[in-house]
Amino acid sequence: MRCTHAEKLIPLFVGGDLPAREADALRRHLESCANCRRLAAEFEESRDWLRGFAAPQFDEATLDGMRDSVLRDIGRIEYRARWFQWIVPGWNLRFVFVTSLALLLFGALFSLAINRRQPPHNPQSNQAGMKQGGGNQVELSPGKTPDDQVNNDKHIASGKTVRRKFGRKPIKPGPDESPQTEAGMIDPDLTAQATDTTEPAIDQSAGLDPANTDSDANRNMLRIEIQTADPNIRIIWFAPKSDAAPRK
Amino acid sequence: MEIALMAEKIEGHDGRDCDGAVTATARLIIRAKAGDKTAFDQIIINHQRKVISLAWRMLGNREDARDAAQETFLRVYKSFGRFDPAQDFNGWLYRIAVNACRDLARKRRCNHYSLEAEVESGGIAEPASPHNTESAAMLAQEHAILLRALAALPEKERAAIVLRDLEGFETEEVAKILGSSPTTVRSQISAARVKIKAFRERFLKRGKR
């Protein structure tokens, strides 16, 4: 054993805190090393000095006063506990925990019930709207005129609830749709009102040529209208339906 | 039946004495747990000197030691319901006392001792022979130095050395009381012994000058 290691073990050795094997090894080292032996003797002296440290004798009056204070405090605690028991019989932590859990559960159920009571939205109106093409476009029920559309816009401006569709739907005109509705969609005044910009506005809508509604060929055509900056000029483009998908 | 089993458990763990004192303690604990105030009062009487001495060694001040002992017994009363009879009552009591001392020390930040205050309040032990005033003065001075040496230690090291070297607990018992491992306690005790030795040597050198 080296002295550096022995120096670390000596404080524990003098107090009898070393395991037997290590204590034996240190004892053998101490027999051969005078410096470590001297260090061990100093630690033993210090230990004896510490063990001679007696606590002061507390007189009976101090101890009685302390005991009385404890009993008085206990009496106060018991009185408070009795008062709580009067308010809530069987008052304890478990009771508090269960009560708060029950209240939380009740609150959650109550809010769930309120949410369920709200009226469901009308799916029919949605379906009607789905049939109209276009992105952020105000829905038109079948048979409504563009004037109704303008009225709808006014409703929006005045803050009244009007349903809007925000998703771009695939262009697919149904066979039962009237040509008047499609014609309404391309009313020049209405389009000009909606696109008051210097850039040409593109109105891509599915529909049939009102002039050729009975033609089978036209039914399979996609009509794309482009409103130029000049309100009097509009480009109308017919494309076969297979080309309806946007090209990149 | 349940009470008898509980008494048996307590006796089994405190079975160091064979003179019936343990049985009496076990019975007192059971009665106190059931809410008997007289039994609790008797428990205080039996343990108050030990607790207040420990508190004084930990805090180095009579007033604080008294307050810590009071707080200890109050905590014992409050947590008697949670006391497991399979536990060692003395260890449990000492753990509460050490924690109460630590809390009080933190609250009051009393990490240094005033020798004058201790002498005035009578905290320093009375001399063995009142006629020999010179030896009495030396003894008082040595006690003051010891107090200061203990005060200079970190809180955990102080608790470990007080319990091991002054209260005479085994390292494993100290570890249980302090809620740490025996290895940690050994290292704390070792560090504390080195510091106390250094403190004493410094004082002795100053005395020789």
Side-chain angles (χ1 to χ4, degrees), chain A residues 170-183:
Chain A
I171 300 159
K172 192 177 180 183
D176 55 341
E177 279 174 2
S178 67
Q180 281 83 8
T181 310
E182 295 304 322

Side-chain angles (χ1 to χ4, degrees), chain B residues 27-44:
Chain B
R27 289 210 175 115
L28 277 175
I29 291 166
I30 293 159
R31 275 170 55 201
K33 269 192 83 167
D36 186 345
K37 264 192 188 174
T38 327
F40 189 72
D41 190 26
Q42 193 57 47
I43 287 174
I44 298 177

Side-chain angles (χ1 to χ4, degrees), chain B residues 1 25 35 44-45 60 86 107 110 133 163-164 179 185 191 193 209:
Chain B
M1 181 68 184
T25 308
I44 298 177
I45 291 169
K107 206 191 278 179
C110 56
T133 48
L163 289 169
R164 176 75 183 99
V185 169
R193 280 178 187 153
R209 277 181 213 162

Side-chain angles (χ1 to χ4, degrees), chain A residues 22-204:
Chain A
E22 277 185 299
D24 286 343
L26 184 64
R27 212 170 282 126
R28 278 197 299 275
H29 175 78
L30 291 178
E31 281 168 11
S32 60
C33 179
N35 275 342
C36 289
R37 209 164 41 238
R38 191 177 44 79
L39 188 68
E42 283 172 7
F43 266 104
E44 273 169 11
E45 210 176 312
S46 170
R47 180 204 60 194
D48 292 342
W49 178 67
L50 184 67
R51 284 185 180 167
F53 178 46
Q57 290 296 313
F58 286 87
D59 53 5
E60 285 300 321
T62 309
L63 296 175
D64 287 348
M66 190 266 297
R67 207 169 61 243
D68 287 346
S69 299
V70 172
L71 294 175
R72 208 169 35 246
D73 283 349
I74 287 171
R76 214 174 293 148
I77 290 166
E78 279 185 347
Y79 175 76
R80 214 178 296 154
R82 237 177 282 139
W83 191 75
F84 269 127
Q85 272 195 339
W86 182 75
I87 298 172
V88 186
W91 175 269
N92 57 22
L93 280 176
R94 204 179 297 158
F95 173 80
V96 173
F97 178 72
V98 170
T99 312
S100 48
L101 202 70
L103 279 171
L104 270 172
L105 203 67
F106 178 75
L109 285 173
F110 187 70
S111 61
L112 199 73
I114 284 176
N115 282 342
R116 281 198 175 178
R117 265 188 206 169
Q118 283 180 352
H121 57 269
N122 190 3
Q124 281 184 345
S125 64
N126 276 358
Q127 280 175 358
M130 295 267 279
K131 287 174 183 172
Q132 306 299 325
N136 294 340
Q137 204 168 20
V138 177
E139 288 175 15
L140 267 185
S141 302
K144 280 201 173 180
T145 61
D147 291 334
D148 291 337
Q149 169 77 22
V150 175
N151 286 340
N152 265 348
D153 288 345
K154 283 179 184 171
H155 277 303
I156 293 161
S158 65
K160 289 185 180 175
T161 44
V162 175
R163 264 177 216 282
R164 280 176 178 268
K165 303 298 290 178
F166 290 101
R168 186 174 288 276
K169 299 292 173 192
I171 300 159
K172 192 177 180 183
D176 55 341
E177 279 174 2
S178 67
Q180 281 83 8
T181 310
E182 295 304 322
M185 290 292 288
I186 56 162
D187 185 86
D189 295 335
L190 184 64
T191 317
Q193 204 176 14
T195 58
D196 190 18
T197 55
T198 51
E199 291 294 317
I202 298 173
D203 182 12
Q204 186 179 6

Side-chain angles (χ1 to χ4, degrees), chain B residues 10-26 46-47 50 88 90:
Chain B
I10 295 169
E11 283 164 34
H13 273 265
D14 273 355
R16 291 176 221 154
D17 301 335
C18 302
D19 55 359
V22 171
T23 316
T25 308
N46 291 351
H47 295 93
K50 276 195 288 182
D88 169 24
N90 278 332

Side-chain angles (χ1 to χ4, degrees), chain A residues 55-58, chain B residues 56 62 115-126:
Chain A
Q57 290 296 313
F58 286 87
Chain B
W56 186 78
R62 286 175 87 93
L115 175 58
E116 291 76 20
E118 270 306 304
V119 173
E120 275 171 23
S121 67
I124 306 300
E126 288 298 314

